[in-house]
Amino acid sequence: MTSVQGTDVDIPTEDGTADAYLTHPADSEPRPAVLFYMDAFGLRPQLRTMADRLAEAGYTVLVPNVFYRHGRAPVFDLPEFIDTGARPEIFESIVPVMQALTPEASMRDADAYLRWLADCPVAAGGPVALTGYCMGARLSLLTAGTYPERVAAAAGFHGGRLATDSPDSPHLVAEHITAELYFGHADQDPSLPVEQIERLETALTEAGVRHHCEVYPGAGHGFTQADSASYHREGDERHWAALLDLLKRTF
């Protein structure tokens, strides 16, 4: 197993400074870069562990705190094991912060993250790959469509609100995407009902985007997050296989 080196970094943006976690193989040779978009619970030990696993597979991985406007990570006071069923009040502080991150602001930030990776000595040159979880899947899709020349592949897992009726719905960027996409949907996810799954599939197909979308049976929203009650081991293992396969094809 490849040993990795992880460190905290700061990324200048148009709106301030985003704190982030950077991890890469310990030999510090330039490796293909992966921009890792967090879920709504934020940058925390679970996401660092996931990023380290990608680094062990041979990638340089950047996990920005996309909520940096509200403070450095951890932005929220979370228990070690997150169970929103037992503690629904957790979302009372998270939802307003999520809603404050507009598509316009998040894409300004994406430009900063991608520029930072382009200048990073342990990141190989050329387009990067994206992976995102929960709200991060939405950011992954938006980034692939906003900066197509800088994104070679994009994945999203248990994403919500990917294809709504809103005029700024992420699926509307499909016509601009040149990357290969993969989405692993939860089949028990009220934030992505069947009609949105179908709308996303139609948009990607009609735009000629290379893509593969799958619904994971038995998996609920958040199925990749081992520090939460939503964790679904089978779905998580399937996610890792799909993600690493996409990265292998890309790089």
Side-chain angles (χ1 to χ4, degrees):
M1 184 178 294
T2 302
S3 60
V4 303
Q5 179 179 336
T7 185
D8 293 328
V9 297
D10 284 344
I11 301 173
T13 76
E14 288 189 31
D15 299 330
T17 300
D19 51 308
Y21 178 65
L22 177 72
T23 181
H24 54 85
D27 61 11
S28 294
E29 291 295 317
R31 303 299 176 96
V34 179
L35 175 57
F36 182 127
Y37 279 125
M38 65 186 221
D39 64 359
F41 296 131
L43 180 52
R44 61 194 192 283
Q46 165 66 17
L47 298 194
R48 293 170 188 262
T49 297
M50 293 174 70
D52 286 345
R53 181 167 173 175
L54 283 176
E56 289 170 357
Y59 303 100
T60 290
V61 186
L62 180 69
V63 192
N65 165 25
V66 304
F67 292 154
Y68 70 88
R69 293 173 181 82
H70 300 268
R72 299 179 71 87
V75 175
F76 308 113
D77 181 19
L78 297 172
E80 287 188 21
F81 184 76
I82 304 165
D83 184 353
T84 55
R87 289 188 55 188
E89 74 279 3
I90 289 174
F91 275 120
E92 292 178 7
S93 58
I94 293 177
V95 170
V97 175
M98 286 180 61
Q99 292 175 339
L101 183 64
T102 64
E104 294 78 17
S106 64
M107 290 304 97
R108 285 199 305 274
D109 293 343
D111 178 56
Y113 306 148
L114 292 168
R115 287 179 184 275
W116 192 90
L117 279 170
D119 293 334
C120 179
V122 294
V128 309
L130 315 171
T131 188
Y133 302 84
C134 176
M135 58 168 276
R138 190 164 67 250
L139 297 178
S140 183
L141 179 56
L142 282 170
T143 303
T146 306
Y147 302 104
E149 72 285 357
R150 293 150 77 179
V151 177
F157 299 91
H158 49 83
R161 300 183 56 77
L162 296 177
T164 70
D165 295 324
S166 169
D168 61 3
S169 176
H171 79 288
L172 297 176
V173 303
E175 62 181 317
H176 305 296
I177 293 172
T178 57
E180 180 180 352
L181 303 189
Y182 177 90
F183 284 94
H185 306 309
D187 75 339
Q188 300 173 31
D189 190 348
S191 70
L192 194 74
V194 172
E195 57 267 25
Q196 286 196 41
I197 292 175
E198 294 174 348
R199 187 180 293 140
L200 175 63
E201 178 68 33
T202 298
L204 296 176
T205 299
E206 291 181 350
V209 177
R210 291 169 298 147
H211 71 281
H212 190 51
C213 300
E214 298 182 296
V215 177
Y216 290 17
H221 187 77
F223 63 80
T224 61
Q225 302 303 307
D227 64 346
S228 79
S230 303
Y231 183 65
H232 184 264
R233 182 176 298 278
E234 183 179 342
D236 184 36
E237 291 174 355
R238 184 173 174 182
H239 133 261
W240 279 112
L243 176 58
L244 292 171
D245 187 54
L246 176 66
L247 296 177
K248 190 178 296 183
R249 288 198 306 274
T250 303
F251 299 122

